[in-house]
Amino acid sequence: MSALRTTLRMSWRQLRRAKGRSVLIVTMLMLPVLALSWTAATYDMFRLTPREQAVRALGAADVAVTRPQSTALFQEPTKLAWSTPDMSRRDTPSEPAGRDQIAAFLPAGSRLLLDRTGGTAVFATRGAGIAKLETRSLDYTDPLAEGILRQLSGAAPKRAGQVALSRKAADRLGAAVGDVVRLGDGTASYTVVGLVERPDGIADQFVVALPGTLPDSDPATPAVGDRYLAALPAGLPWAQVRELNRSGVVAMSRAVLLDPPPRSEVPYYANWREDSGLPVSETSLAYGTLVVALSLLEVVLLAGPAFAVGARRRQRELALVGAAGGTPAQIRRIVLADGLVLGMVAAVAGVAVGLAAAWFARPLVEEVLVGQRAGAFRVLPLGQLAAVGLAVGTGVIGALVPAFTAARVNLVQALSGRRGVTRSKRRWVALGLVLVAGGIGAVSYAALERLIPVLIAGLVAFELGAVLCTPALVGAVSRLGRFLPLAPRIALRDAARNRASAAPAIAAVMAAVAGCVALGGYLAGDQARQAADYRPSYPVGTVAAPFHRADGDTAAAGRVAAALRRTLALGPTHDVSTPVCPAGSPDKAGSCEVTVEMPVARRCPYDWRILGREANAKEQKAALADQRCDRLDQVSSNMVSNLVDDGAAVGTVTGVSGPTLDRAVADLRAGKVLVTDARLITDGTVTVLRSVYGDTPDGGRPVPVETRTRLPAALLPGAVGGTRAVLPPQVLAGLGLVAQPVGLVGTVTRMPDTGDEDRARAALQSASEGAYMEVERGTPAYDTEKTQMLIVLMVAACVVMLGAAWIATGLAAADGRADLSTLGAVGATPGFRRRLSLSQAGVIAILGGLLGSVVGLGMMYAVLFSVNESHRGGWPATSPLPLDAPWPLLGLVVLAVPVLAMTGAGALTRSRLPIERRLT
């Protein structure tokens, strides 16, 4: 015990003596501790307790009740989510359930409060536009609703004509407390008396008022989706919730939220695949483990050089301990004690700073990252203990190699200040090669067999093997120094001589770059796949404005076009029409649909629209072997699935141009139907199906009266959007159809922003009742999150590269003061020191970047191949991730960052050569 106390005292004394190096090591060890401490506390704060969940969902009520079905259903215990027993049949009540009907299902003496959500209303904005906001009809000052909404400023609505806005809604409308807001059609106005937020959705745009204030909020008229908060004489246990489910009632009970039933007692889960019980998927957890492992490796590799230089600076002191009778084990304990002491200091500092960061950064996390309010401040004690263990463990591991190296030093050489010849141990190189080969084998096997844990283990082994081989690679590369100028030649020589400090720094850069390239390549591939899978409704830049033209109103299209041109940068516009049954015909008594039918022989027999359900595992396997199921018939997502056109609008609606458009116009004028799917054509013709659904007084499912007509057809290649077929006007009479104008399309010359769209919608509302607009912007905004994550990874890798290069350069300068003094004595100029520092940084950054790129590409291809293999065999088939190298990222880490590292090292290095005392 006294020996341990002595070594700890020596380490504490050394910490105070070498303050700069100690602060550097503590900072490096502290950063992951800070991150883990902050993450643990933040996770615990946003992991709401059952009681907190109950307050946000129910306020002070005992239960929230709604009745979406007239027959039995299954519900999720802690939500209002539900499903039918067979997952397909839905029996909606003939009329929404009102207060009296809901009260009949609850015990006598229950008190109910209406909470109507799901509606929308259009409001005028300050910028002469309109904005559609969600509406909520709720008296949130009632004790039953306490906690559902949070008052930010002002007061709650107390009477009709008063509303409260969410902060985002107020920003959208340009309104503040005390202002008056109006509906888009000017039929009503309201006074804004307060700003509120929903703790689970602080970015939501909504308006809340007392029932009966907003449009379609009259409490005497029940609406679909109405829910009632209820105070019961006693709680509502799960058994009673099941009884309500048999009558089509869904009930979220406080008693069930606080004490959920076991999964085996919840029929709802029988319709869904059982999950692992983890907050994330097993695949995400595995890849997260890989990221954590690489991060810890980074810390060890960055801290290792500092410990190595510290041990080298104490070489004479440690040699004196050996000369006085100290054993190699005692010398190892002295160096390891440095790691223990510095790790403990880093643990205390990291946990303290991490908890403080979690407290002060909580509003930022709520607003920017999570989008909801956290619960009470909690720290997750087990997470904080793990952070402490992380700091102490990485400190000791970082000092492990320098400790064994210091224990093996030759005492005579150390006391005389001389350095021995540094060579890479063959057994470490051999072990590294074995790990590399084993990692490649494990990754290959795991990718083929879809074993994610084995894949992760193989990637970690491959990375560790590359780290162990780094010193030998440094020694091999140093032989190229004879062909270089003096400064880079000395830099390479020093890297080879001081491999204990240079090799870990190069390996740290390699690990950072490898992780960045692997994860960045995966994210870039995933983004490219999602962009390729996206099916736009129209060509990018198209504005579509559906409207209803009243009988005899032939000027509606002109007014809509004028409204769009006043508010948007819009090119030429075209009217679009769709085929319908003629007005006044017997067919109009019900519903008339017109489609181009897929030939029976080319239909996938396992499509859910044919089976009436999802395909089971056996059917999915059969579908994979059936060519007819390679590409399912897509459902259109625009207003003109079947377009009637003489050639004027087809280019704008489908995006075709040039010779293709010329052929399409010629085919339409020749009376041919244009289709965008070649499978619809048989022997140069297509089948046009007219289905008439008559009224069914008994409420049963109608049976259509179908008429099929064969027409000549041509393929429209390269069409973009949801249009399935284009019918020439001259064929409609033979089909018993007419063309009905449904809207207008055009192409913008500048993509509109939110304000432009609000003003355009306001102008459209004045031009034609019910008119609205949509703009095709291309790939949805979720890819922006992927891009942001990729940028974060790139920045993180760049920071690690710069930090490792500069740290290694600084340590090399501290370790090589005697060499610099010798260079000064033989006539080296002050500028030479800058060039030497620049070269030393370049050696670290360039070698680490090149090695990391190679290792990262290998890891990236392994991950991409594994993910593609994991999706193989599923149906409908998932598009594979493209195996493309992330060239911009590679260019950044191989070229740009090394140049920046070298420039920074050269600029921050003092020119004056040191004078070092020599031992004689």
Side-chain angles (χ1 to χ4, degrees):
M1 191 67 183
S2 60
L4 176 62
R5 184 166 57 249
T6 301
T7 55
L8 291 178
R9 287 177 60 189
M10 293 176 64
S11 297
W12 182 254
R13 182 189 63 185
Q14 182 64 22
L15 182 149
R16 289 181 296 171
R17 281 182 175 177
K19 294 182 177 62
R21 187 169 62 250
S22 299
V23 169
L24 177 65
I25 297 175
V26 168
T27 301
M28 287 188 293
L29 296 177
M30 184 185 74
L31 288 177
V33 176
L34 187 157
L36 180 57
S37 175
W38 175 83
T39 301
T42 301
Y43 169 77
D44 206 12
M45 286 189 289
F46 284 94
R47 186 184 58 175
L48 301 180
T49 64
R51 193 170 301 278
E52 290 171 338
Q53 294 176 13
V55 170
R56 295 190 180 186
L58 305 174
D62 295 310
V63 66
V65 185
T66 185
R67 189 174 187 241
Q69 280 268 110
S70 59
T71 56
L73 52 78
F74 297 152
Q75 81 162 87
E76 206 276 343
T78 60
K79 301 176 183 176
L80 291 177
W82 60 277
S83 67
T84 55
D86 61 0
M87 292 290 289
S88 59
R89 179 185 175 91
R90 296 217 170 184
D91 299 313
T92 305
S94 56
E95 293 184 359
R99 180 185 297 268
D100 294 340
Q101 290 87 345
I102 294 295
F105 293 105
L106 300 177
S110 301
R111 186 169 79 87
L112 274 65
L113 176 68
L114 174 63
D115 181 14
R116 178 172 296 177
T117 59
T120 60
V122 177
F123 287 84
T125 67
R126 181 166 294 179
I130 58 173
K132 182 183 290 187
L133 303 179
E134 296 179 5
T135 61
R136 187 165 195 168
S137 298
L138 171 67
D139 180 9
Y140 63 89
T141 61
D142 189 293
L144 283 181
E146 183 180 358
I148 293 179
L149 297 176
R150 177 187 174 199
Q151 193 77 40
L152 299 179
S153 63
K158 296 182 175 60
R159 53 183 175 271
Q162 295 181 343
V163 298
L165 300 175
S166 69
R167 186 172 50 189
K168 294 293 185 180
D171 294 340
R172 181 84 179 272
L173 300 182
V177 175
D179 290 347
V180 174
V181 295
R182 295 175 175 80
L183 292 180
D185 58 7
T187 56
S189 61
Y190 310 95
T191 301
V192 179
V193 296
L195 297 182
V196 296
E197 73 175 13
R198 190 173 67 88
D200 279 345
I202 59 180
D204 292 351
Q205 298 182 17
F206 65 90
V207 55
V208 60
L210 296 178
T213 300
L214 298 170
D216 300 324
S217 68
D218 185 359
T221 306
V224 176
D226 277 0
R227 79 164 191 165
Y228 288 86
L229 303 174
L232 308 180
L236 193 70
W238 178 240
Q240 295 183 25
V241 171
R242 291 283 307 278
E243 287 294 329
L244 293 176
N245 292 162
R246 294 186 177 93
S247 300
V249 176
V250 178
M252 183 189 297
S253 168
R254 180 181 296 274
V256 176
L257 282 171
L258 298 179
D259 185 19
R263 191 180 181 93
S264 60
E265 296 182 10
V266 183
Y268 173 85
Y269 292 138
N271 288 331
W272 307 99
R273 184 181 65 182
E274 184 173 359
D275 58 25
S276 62
L278 298 171
V280 296
S281 68
E282 294 180 1
T283 301
S284 298
L285 181 63
Y287 287 121
T289 303
L290 174 63
V291 173
V292 172
L294 293 179
S295 301
L296 295 180
L297 181 62
E298 282 293 313
V299 176
V300 173
L301 292 174
L302 288 173
F307 282 116
V309 171
R312 186 176 295 281
R313 299 289 287 180
R314 298 175 64 188
Q315 182 173 268
R316 181 175 176 80
E317 175 187 340
L318 296 175
L320 289 173
V321 172
T327 64
Q330 290 173 330
I331 296 176
R332 282 196 299 270
R333 283 197 295 267
I334 292 174
V335 180
L336 289 174
D338 291 348
L340 179 63
V341 171
L342 291 170
M344 294 175 64
V345 173
V348 174
V351 169
V353 177
L355 294 180
W359 172 264
F360 289 108
R362 185 164 82 167
L364 181 64
V365 175
E366 292 173 339
E367 298 278 351
V368 178
L369 297 180
V370 181
Q372 68 179 48
R373 296 298 176 192
F377 182 74
R378 295 183 286 269
V379 300
L380 194 63
L382 288 178
Q384 305 307 321
L385 289 176
V388 172
L390 172 65
V392 176
T394 51
V396 173
I397 294 173
L400 199 59
V401 173
F404 278 90
T405 302
R408 291 197 303 266
V409 72
N410 184 286
L411 297 181
V412 176
Q413 290 180 346
L415 291 173
S416 63
R418 296 193 302 270
R419 299 179 180 179
V421 178
T422 303
R423 293 188 177 89
S424 299
K425 298 294 184 181
R426 292 184 178 179
R427 61 175 177 271
W428 293 114
V429 177
L431 177 60
L433 293 174
V434 169
L435 287 174
V436 168
I440 293 175
V443 168
S444 301
Y445 175 76
L448 293 174
E449 299 296 328
R450 309 176 194 177
L451 301 174
I452 299 298
V454 178
L455 173 72
I456 300 304
L459 291 175
V460 172
F462 181 78
E463 181 82 13
L464 289 175
V467 169
L468 291 176
C469 292
T470 300
L473 291 173
V474 172
V477 172
S478 66
R479 297 177 183 177
L480 300 176
R482 70 186 69 177
F483 306 108
L484 298 177
L486 179 61
R489 183 163 71 245
I490 294 178
L492 278 174
R493 185 208 63 182
D494 285 348
R497 289 175 57 185
N498 303 321
R499 297 182 198 181
S501 58
I506 293 173
V509 174
M510 179 192 70
V513 172
C516 176
V517 170
L519 294 177
Y522 170 78
L523 290 176
D526 184 56
Q527 184 177 10
R529 178 179 64 179
Q530 292 184 9
D533 287 347
Y534 174 67
R535 297 293 179 263
S537 299
Y538 305 93
V540 175
T542 300
V543 174
F547 63 87
H548 173 71
R549 188 178 71 176
D551 294 339
D553 185 7
T554 58
R559 293 197 304 271
V560 169
L564 291 177
R565 288 195 181 94
R566 286 197 308 270
T567 53
L568 301 177
L570 191 65
T573 59
H574 304 280
D575 298 340
V576 291
S577 302
T578 192
V580 298
C581 294
S585 68
D587 294 341
K588 294 297 288 186
S591 173
C592 176
E593 293 182 359
V594 180
T595 59
V596 177
E597 190 176 41
M598 178 73 70
V600 176
R602 296 177 183 173
R603 298 176 191 172
C604 176
Y606 308 105
D607 191 336
W608 67 270
R609 286 165 291 192
I610 295 177
L611 291 176
R613 56 174 173 79
E614 296 292 338
N616 56 36
K618 182 178 180 180
E619 292 166 338
Q620 288 186 22
K621 185 176 180 180
L624 286 172
D626 194 330
Q627 293 183 351
R628 297 172 298 175
C629 302
D630 290 346
R631 183 164 59 96
L632 293 180
D633 193 19
Q634 298 294 324
V635 178
S636 174
S637 58
N638 67 14
M639 65 177 174
V640 281
S641 173
N642 299 296
L643 172 68
V644 176
D645 185 50
D646 59 1
V650 64
T652 301
V653 174
T654 63
V656 297
S657 59
T660 302
L661 178 58
D662 295 338
R663 286 193 300 270
V665 172
D667 288 334
L668 289 172
R669 291 174 179 172
K672 293 183 179 181
V673 178
L674 299 179
V675 294
T676 57
D677 189 342
R679 297 176 299 170
L680 299 172
I681 302 176
T682 302
D683 298 329
T685 62
V686 294
T687 300
V688 178
L689 172 65
R690 189 181 72 165
S691 304
V692 179
Y693 296 85
D695 291 334
T696 53
D698 59 354
R701 180 171 297 177
V703 177
V705 177
E706 299 179 340
T707 304
R708 291 176 172 83
T709 306
R710 302 286 299 179
L711 293 174
L715 179 65
L716 182 62
V720 176
T723 298
R724 179 185 176 92
V726 184
L727 282 71
Q730 60 266 35
V731 305
L732 296 183
L735 297 172
L737 303 171
V738 296
Q740 175 177 302
V742 293
L744 176 148
V745 295
T747 304
V748 294
T749 57
R750 178 183 60 82
M751 198 63 75
D753 57 22
T754 303
D756 294 333
E757 291 192 32
D758 288 345
R759 286 187 289 272
R761 291 190 178 96
L764 285 174
Q765 193 174 56
S766 301
S768 178
E769 181 180 359
Y772 64 97
M773 59 161 285
E774 55 181 319
V775 181
E776 179 56 62
R777 297 180 178 273
T779 307
Y782 52 67
D783 280 344
T784 302
E785 299 178 3
K786 303 285 185 181
T787 303
Q788 291 173 347
M789 188 176 296
L790 183 58
I791 292 174
V792 170
L793 285 172
M794 292 170 66
V795 171
C798 293
V799 169
V800 171
M801 286 184 70
L802 293 173
W806 290 338
I807 289 171
T809 303
L811 293 174
D815 197 31
R817 289 176 61 89
D819 292 340
L820 290 174
S821 179
T822 301
L823 288 171
V826 298
T829 63
F832 178 80
R833 183 179 182 183
R834 290 186 183 275
R835 294 194 297 273
L836 180 59
S837 296
L838 185 146
S839 301
Q840 289 170 330
V843 168
I844 302 297
I846 293 174
L847 287 181
L850 289 174
L851 293 174
S853 298
V854 174
V855 173
L857 285 174
M859 296 171 64
M860 182 198 74
Y861 286 124
V863 171
L864 293 179
F865 185 78
S866 173
V867 172
N868 288 340
E869 284 295 306
S870 67
H871 291 159
R872 186 169 59 87
W875 184 85
T878 302
S879 300
L881 292 169
L883 302 178
D884 297 330
W887 295 113
L889 182 59
L890 290 174
L892 180 69
V893 298
V894 175
L895 298 176
V897 177
V899 171
L900 182 59
M902 295 166 67
T903 303
L908 298 176
T909 300
R910 292 186 301 175
S911 299
R912 185 172 60 86
L913 293 169
I915 299 177
E916 189 83 359
R917 182 175 65 88
R918 292 276 185 174
L919 293 174
T920 58

